[in-house]
Structure formats: C-alpha cells, structure tokens
Amino acid sequence: MLALRLARGTHPLVLLRRLLVSAASAGVGFLLLCTLGHAVGHPGASVLRLLWCAVPLAATVYFAVAVARTDPSTRPRPGLSAVGLGPARLAAIAAASTAVTCTLGSAVALLVYLHLRGDITGLPFDGAAAGLLAADQPMPLAAALTLLAVLPVTASTAAGLALRPRTVRAGDQSDPVHPEEPAPTPSGLPWGCALIAVGLAVETYVSRDGSGSGFPMPGHPEGSPAGLLGGWALTALGLALAGPALAHFSGRLLQLARPGAARLLAGRVLMAEARRIGRPLGVVSAVASAAIAAAALYGDQAGPHPFGPLTGLGAALVMSCTVATLLTALLESRHARAHTTAALVSIGTPAATLRAAAALRTLALLAVFTPLTATIAEAAALPLR
C-alpha cells in the first residue's frame, strides 16, 4: 500500500519509466504464453523456445532493476529512519514497486493473449492469431500463471538485492574534478576478456555440425541453438564485466598529451562514472554485436529467413530494454554529478566548456566501444557462415 501511495506522487518521468517496464513485462509475458501455446499443440518441442525467451526476460529484469535504482522514492532521506523507513525498508518498497509494475505488464499480456486466441470476444481482432496460439486446445491456467509470475518474482528479487544496504567502498564517491582523487581502476577487464574468449570458442565449437546450417532461430531444429545461446551469453557477460574498465580507459585517453580544461573535465568524469555506465555500455555492445552478426549472416543468404513475428518481438524487447537501461544509467550519472556541475557553474565555468566535455565523453566512448563491437560481431559470425 505504501508503494502505491508513493507512486501517486512521483514525477511524470518516473511514471513513464515504470510504464516502460510494464510494457516490456507485457512483451515478455506474451512470449512466454506463446511458448506455452506452442507446447500445448506440440508437446516436447518447445524447450528451445523457452530458452530463447530467457534472453528478453533477462533484459527486462536488467531494465527493471535500473529503473528501481533511479526511483526517487527509494532514496534514503533525513527523517525517514525515525518513522521506520531505513535503507532496508526502502529496498523492500523498491522490490514491491517493481513487483507491482511487472505484474501489471503480465496481466496485460494475459488479456492480449486470451483476446488473440478468441477466448475474450467483443473487441477488434478477436481470435486473429487462433491458429498460432493453439486456440483449439485448452490452455492450462496453472502453467500460464506460473510462467507469468516468473518475471515479477525475478525482477523484484533482483531489485531488492541491488538496493540492499551496503558499505560504500573507498573511491566510489570521489569528485571527478579534483586530480588528487581519481577513482580506482575497475578490475573486471581480465575476467571480461576471458569470458569473451570462452563465449566465442563455444559458438565456434557448436557451429561445427554436420548439417551445415547457419545461426538457428526458434522453431528450427537444425544446429545447436542452446549452445549458441550459451556462447553469446558468456560473451555478453564478458562485455558487461569489461565495460567499466573500458570506460575508465576512455577517460584516461582523453587526458593524454597536455589536456585542456574540457578534456581534463571529460576524462575525470568518465573515470569517476566508469562503474555506473560501463556495464550498461558493455551490454549494449553485446546486443549490437549480436545484431550485426545476425544481419551479416542472413544478408547474403537466399531463400526464407527464420525470422518470425515472435522472433522480431523478442529482438525488439532485448534492444529496447538494453538501450533504455543505458539511458537510465546516464540519467543517474547526471543526477549524481549535479552538485559538481552546480559548483563549476558557480565559479564561472562557461557553459560551452561543459557542453564540450559532454561531447568529448561521447566521442571517447564511441571510439573505444565501436571497434570492439564490430570486431566481436565479425568474430562471432565468421565460424557460423
């Protein structure tokens, strides 16, 4: 109840982010229900489809956690501990708000699914997808509710764990302007490189099958989609681990060869915010490399491509959630350095310098992550051709 009351007084931008989480949850719920409908019509042939649904589900959970982290109603404020709303209780409220938001999306997914099956009539497009959704078979209600509960439970648990009270490490609150306090270098680069190499090796190994098939999608039994999905997941995890170190490296690049005020400020900000924006950047890089690899594989092929409407929906969910998570992390970073920006303006820093620093940060990140994304995409697509 408290989470609902807090939602009534939130900023419209915060409500928009929650609605986006609900929309993503509705898309994932619809994919899961379609998998259930396929399993009803084709018993024992939908395990791979369920594995592919794990990718958009993970992307949606990642986005929901990012939205919960930036929710103003879950930030500790003076006086809240006196009424029993300490950090632990606020984390529980964030988990409850995330569960309500995702449950709303799951409910919408169920209504749309039943409507397209023809079970709910009186609206346009009644039973428009009856054949695809196995409308001639009874839908197991318990299985449908279980699948729809996976996302709210997973997202709320992840949000509660991400916002649980923890000890602030030295260097996490460093000022990006002062040279005597540069943030410590993130230490995930070796593990990230190792996971990227293992993921590419797994994709190369499972692609050496006798059928000669390319990158198999849901509904195509040829090849090893489970192994390819596992290899891509390892690559994505490696990029997420290496992302903060790469963002920190981008900040160091900006400060080479006698930097001016704009380059020095941009480099310090990147080094300080590397942990916050590096992982979303790594995940976006992984998704972009997968999209580039898939486009390269099917660009030169003749004949029908195994891209259906549900595959397109899943890909759209993954790309939208990862980009939205990155934008949310950038908004969180902007809010975190608001006091520093105000201090720079108060001492007479020109607005042009601040804009130049923002542009330099963007260019530095593009200069580091764009070649990396293209290289991994080419390396992933090469053994699958």
Side-chain angles (χ1 to χ4, degrees):
M1 184 61 66
L2 179 59
L4 293 176
R5 290 183 178 180
L6 290 175
R8 292 176 56 188
T10 53
H11 193 272
L13 184 59
V14 178
L15 290 178
L16 176 61
R17 291 199 293 261
R18 292 180 180 177
L19 287 177
L20 291 177
V21 173
S22 295
S25 303
V28 173
F30 186 77
L31 285 177
L32 291 173
L33 290 176
C34 290
T35 302
L36 177 62
H38 185 270
V40 171
H42 307 81
S46 296
V47 177
L48 296 180
R49 288 175 176 260
L50 193 60
L51 285 176
W52 281 102
C53 290
V55 179
L57 188 145
T60 304
V61 170
Y62 191 48
F63 179 41
V65 172
V67 170
R69 286 174 57 91
T70 57
D71 195 336
S73 62
T74 60
R75 294 172 183 164
R77 293 185 292 273
L80 291 181
S81 297
V83 295
L85 292 178
R89 185 65 62 86
L90 290 177
I93 292 176
S97 300
T98 304
V100 171
T101 303
C102 295
T103 301
L104 176 62
S106 297
V108 172
L110 180 60
L111 292 177
V112 172
Y113 180 80
L114 293 176
H115 172 61
L116 293 179
R117 271 175 53 98
D119 296 334
I120 298 179
T121 58
L123 296 173
F125 306 104
D126 289 339
L132 177 64
L133 304 180
D136 56 337
Q137 301 288 336
M139 186 184 71
L141 183 60
L145 295 179
T146 300
L147 285 177
L148 290 177
V150 170
L151 179 60
V153 171
T154 306
S156 60
T157 303
L161 292 176
L163 297 176
R164 70 187 186 278
R166 65 186 69 183
T167 303
V168 179
R169 295 177 293 183
D172 285 352
Q173 301 296 329
S174 59
D175 192 342
V177 181
H178 293 92
E180 64 272 12
E181 299 176 356
T185 304
S187 57
L189 186 58
W191 285 105
C193 293
L195 286 176
I196 291 172
V198 171
L200 293 176
V202 169
E203 293 181 20
T204 303
Y205 177 77
V206 300
S207 64
R208 298 174 59 185
D209 55 351
S211 61
S213 60
F215 189 78
M217 303 299 287
H220 287 248
E222 298 88 1
S224 303
L228 291 172
L229 179 61
W232 179 83
L234 289 176
T235 303
L237 181 59
L239 284 171
L241 288 177
L246 293 174
H248 195 276
F249 174 70
S250 303
R252 287 194 176 275
L253 282 180
L254 284 174
Q255 301 173 74
L256 295 177
R258 295 184 179 182
R263 281 206 293 141
L264 181 63
L265 177 60
R268 294 295 180 180
V269 170
L270 269 184
M271 291 171 63
E273 296 177 350
R275 297 181 183 275
R276 183 178 286 115
I277 67 174
R279 284 178 182 156
L281 274 171
V283 175
V284 170
S285 178
V287 173
S289 64
I292 294 173
L297 282 172
Y298 290 113
D300 300 331
Q301 290 186 4
H305 293 171
F307 290 103
L310 297 182
T311 304
L313 175 61
L317 282 173
V318 172
M319 291 186 287
S320 301
C321 287
T322 51
V323 173
T325 302
L326 176 59
L327 294 178
T328 303
L330 293 176
L331 288 177
E332 184 183 8
S333 299
R334 182 179 180 182
H335 176 80
R337 66 173 185 271
H339 296 291
T340 301
T341 304
L344 290 172
V345 173
S346 65
I347 62 176
T349 304
T353 302
L354 298 178
R355 290 194 295 268
L360 287 172
R361 290 197 302 270
T362 303
L363 291 176
L365 291 174
L366 288 176
V368 172
F369 280 90
T370 301
L372 176 66
T373 301
T375 301
I376 292 180
E378 182 63 25
L382 185 61
L384 300 177
R385 286 195 173 99

